[in-house]
Amino acid sequence: MSICKSCGMSIAWVKTRSGKWMPVETVKVPVLPGKGKETFITDDGDIITGERYREFKKNPDTVAGNVPHWANCPGADRHRRRGKDAGM
């Protein structure tokens, strides 16, 4: 685990399928894929959209995901890459 340099919160890192490391919240949440517009990342490195669900066991379609840290960090804009370095 690491500490965010902007907000001081504990974060974890997950490697995406494209090979890049993404900072994420440390607690996994149940996600219903395709049911919402929030972004999550799985342990396999898949970036998915969906919505948070109440519990893992109540719906067999839920998957475990982490919320990208930039979704909650007040200093996220300071870490975004712009222009050529953004990988666009």
Side-chain angles (χ1 to χ4, degrees):
M1 282 207 241
S2 299
I3 301 294
C4 176
K5 293 177 184 177
S6 294
C7 70
M9 186 174 183
S10 292
I11 55 174
W13 294 86
V14 176
K15 193 172 191 178
T16 65
R17 293 259 183 201
S18 66
K20 296 183 179 182
W21 289 95
M22 182 182 290
V24 296
E25 304 294 321
T26 58
V27 177
K28 295 196 182 317
V29 296
V31 179
L32 279 173
K35 297 283 186 179
K37 296 184 180 185
E38 286 185 83
T39 300
F40 302 91
I41 186 164
T42 67
D43 285 343
D44 294 332
D46 291 322
I47 298 172
I48 60 172
T49 57
E51 71 178 20
R52 292 179 206 213
Y53 196 70
R54 295 181 302 277
E55 299 175 45
F56 284 107
K57 296 179 183 179
K58 296 283 184 182
N59 188 326
D61 296 330
T62 58
V63 296
N66 290 82
V67 176
H69 181 61
W70 47 257
N72 297 321
C73 181
D77 285 341
R78 289 186 275 170
H79 300 283
R80 294 192 201 287
R81 293 184 184 173
R82 307 265 191 249
K84 286 185 190 178
D85 295 334
M88 291 182 200

